[in-house]
Structures are given as C-alpha cells and as structure tokens.
C-alpha cells in the first residue's frame, strides 16, 4: 500500500485536506481517531494510562483528556511516559489498517509526524501549510482557546520551516477553500499515478 503521511501544524487544515482526499477516493486513517479508539472506556491501554496517570481519570474511570493534556503539556517526563504507552500501539494499528485498505493509496493523518520520527514509514510526506497567524485565527474560532494558548501549542510543535524542509509535497492552505480544492485534486492525481 502506497502511504502518504499527512501532517501540518494545529489548525493548518489537515482534517479538511484529509476529508477532501477521502471524497476523491483515498483511504484515510486518522491517528487521532486511533488514539481515541485505543483509549476508549474498557480498552487495555486505558488501564495502563490510568495506572501511570491516576490523577487524570474521572471518578467513573474514564480518561479526563483535558487534565491529561494539561499534565503532559507542563511536564516533559510525563509526556515521554504517555508517548511510550500510546505511540507503539497507535503505530501498529495504523499500519495494520493501512495494509487492509483496498483504496488506490492510503493517507495517514499524523499531526506530530516529524516530532515522533515517523518519516521513514511513509512513501510521501504531505505537509499542509499556512502562516501561524492564520493557524491562530482558525483554531481560536474553532475551539474558543485564546490566542496565547494557541501560540503556545504552535511553539511546542516542530517549527514551520523544519516541517516544510521535510515535506515531499506541500499544500498551501493560507488562502480560502477555493484555493485549496484544486491543490488537493492535483495531489490526488499525483498519488494515483505513483
Ligand atoms: P487541522 O486538522 O490541521 O487542525 P482543520 O482542517 O480542522 O485543521 O482546520 C482548522 C479550521 O479551519 C477548521 O474549522 C476548518 O474548517 C477551517 N479551515 C480549514 N481550511 C480552511 C480554509 N482554506 N479557509 C477557511 N477555513 C479553513
């Protein structure tokens, strides 16, 4: 299976591009969804996270994602511990699902592709890019986070220049939807021909 790793900063438009590629016929696997699936109530990995981060569970045993996010954001060691629990099973499930697709190619949506060193698993790396000011506007509108909070998240991600330097293909999503769709179609045709 030909694998396209789709990445980009928060609010750059990864989900939007992935939805459009899916509508054109690509097989899309979103690692955020895999992470949720693997940490759903009753999942074995949840129990492991729960024992490592018992202060981030609701009384009913469900994961308090906001508390966990705040915890690992503030504490690098906690972040590494969480990643060591979560990332290997996410990666394994992602590759298993990709191998089972019957679509012409697979798009693996991985927000932290560079941060987690998954470049070598991909045949192509597609970066969705826009200026940071646009990321901030979009995320504030979508989530209600403050500008400062979004800027902090952006600062914790790989710098834009480094992401662009690691890209095989780039979609410029600094413009409106009318500028995005033709670029997505062009990429789709390129991947069909690969
Ligand atoms: P990501 O998955 O990278 O975090 P999304 O695809 O969710 O980003 O996009 C972030 C927000 O910006 C969403 O609300 C989305 O609808 C909006 N958006 C994405 N691309 C554009 C665009 N070209 N013009 C205007 N809004 C956009």
């Amino acid at each position: 299976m030909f694998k396209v790793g789709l990445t980009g900063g928060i609010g750059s438009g990864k989900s939007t591009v992935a939805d459009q590629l899916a509508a054109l016929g690509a097989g899309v696997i979103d690692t955020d969804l895999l992470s949720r699936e693997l940490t759903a109530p009753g999942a074995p990995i949840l129990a492991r996270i729960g024992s490592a981060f018992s202060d981030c569970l609701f009384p009913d045993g469900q994961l308090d994602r906001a508390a966990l996010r705040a915890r690992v954001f503030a504490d690098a060691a906690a972040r590494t511990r969480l990643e060591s629990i979560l990332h290997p099973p996410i990666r394994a499930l992602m590759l298993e699902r990709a191998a089972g697709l019957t679509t012409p190619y697979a798009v693996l949506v991985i927000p932290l592709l560079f941060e987690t060193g998954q470049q070598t698993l991909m045949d192509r790396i597609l970066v969705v890019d826009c200026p940071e000011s646009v990321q901030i506007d979009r995320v504030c509108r979508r989530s209600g986070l403050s500008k400062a909070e979004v800027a902090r998240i952006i600062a914790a991600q790989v710098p834009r220049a480094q992401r662009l330097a690691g890209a095989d293909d780039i979609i410029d999503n600094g413009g409106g939807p009318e500028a995005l769709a033709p670029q997505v179609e062009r990429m789709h045709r390129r991947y069909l021909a690969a």
Side-chain angles (χ1 to χ4, degrees), residues 6-25:
L6 192 164
T7 193
I10 183 170
S12 58
K14 296 179 293 297
S15 307
T16 306
V17 168
D19 288 349
Q20 292 184 12
L21 288 170
L24 292 168

Side-chain angles (χ1 to χ4, degrees), residues 6-20 30 32 109 111 128 130 134-135 137-143 157 172-181:
L6 192 164
T7 193
I10 183 170
S12 58
K14 296 179 293 297
S15 307
T16 306
V17 168
D19 288 349
Q20 292 184 12
D30 183 333
D32 276 346
V109 185
V128 183
C130 69
V134 177
Q135 283 179 269
D137 281 352
R138 287 183 185 155
V139 177
C140 286
R141 203 167 305 142
R142 177 181 67 182
S143 67
Q157 298 186 336
D172 173 3
N173 193 24
E178 71 293 340
L180 179 62

Side-chain angles (χ1 to χ4, degrees), residues 97-112:
R97 296 265 168 94
L101 288 173
T102 54
T103 48
Y105 66 96
V107 175
L108 310 180
V109 185
I110 311 179
L112 300 181

Side-chain angles (χ1 to χ4, degrees), residues 59-84:
D60 66 357
Q62 287 225 43
L63 192 58
D64 183 347
R65 289 169 200 278
L68 187 61
R69 205 175 305 124
R71 173 80 187 279
V72 301
F73 200 70
D75 177 350
R79 185 186 185 128
T80 304
R81 187 153 22 111
L82 178 65
E83 287 174 352
S84 71

Side-chain angles (χ1 to χ4, degrees), residues 32-88:
D32 276 346
L33 297 181
L34 297 184
S35 173
R36 284 185 170 260
E37 190 178 324
L38 287 166
T39 56
I45 291 165
L46 185 64
R48 291 189 56 205
I49 296 173
S51 44
F53 298 93
S54 53
D55 49 336
C56 298
L57 291 177
F58 290 118
D60 66 357
Q62 287 225 43
L63 192 58
D64 183 347
R65 289 169 200 278
L68 187 61
R69 205 175 305 124
R71 173 80 187 279
V72 301
F73 200 70
D75 177 350
R79 185 186 185 128
T80 304
R81 187 153 22 111
L82 178 65
E83 287 174 352
S84 71
I85 298 172
L86 261 180
H87 286 176

Side-chain angles (χ1 to χ4, degrees), residues 79-161:
R79 185 186 185 128
T80 304
R81 187 153 22 111
L82 178 65
E83 287 174 352
S84 71
I85 298 172
L86 261 180
H87 286 176
I90 293 174
R91 193 174 297 201
L93 187 57
M94 172 185 87
L95 293 175
E96 184 190 316
R97 296 265 168 94
L101 288 173
T102 54
T103 48
Y105 66 96
V107 175
L108 310 180
V109 185
I110 311 179
L112 300 181
L113 186 142
F114 292 107
E115 291 85 343
T116 55
Q118 297 189 71
Q119 298 91 315
T120 55
L121 296 174
M122 306 301 151
D123 295 295
R124 285 307 272 188
I125 294 175
L126 171 60
V127 167
V128 183
D129 178 64
C130 69
E132 286 186 4
S133 57
V134 177
Q135 283 179 269
I136 291 172
D137 281 352
R138 287 183 185 155
V139 177
C140 286
R141 203 167 305 142
R142 177 181 67 182
S143 67
L145 291 174
S146 71
K147 280 190 172 194
E149 284 168 311
V150 180
R152 267 204 301 279
I153 295 171
I154 292 173
Q157 298 186 336
V158 80
R160 184 181 179 197

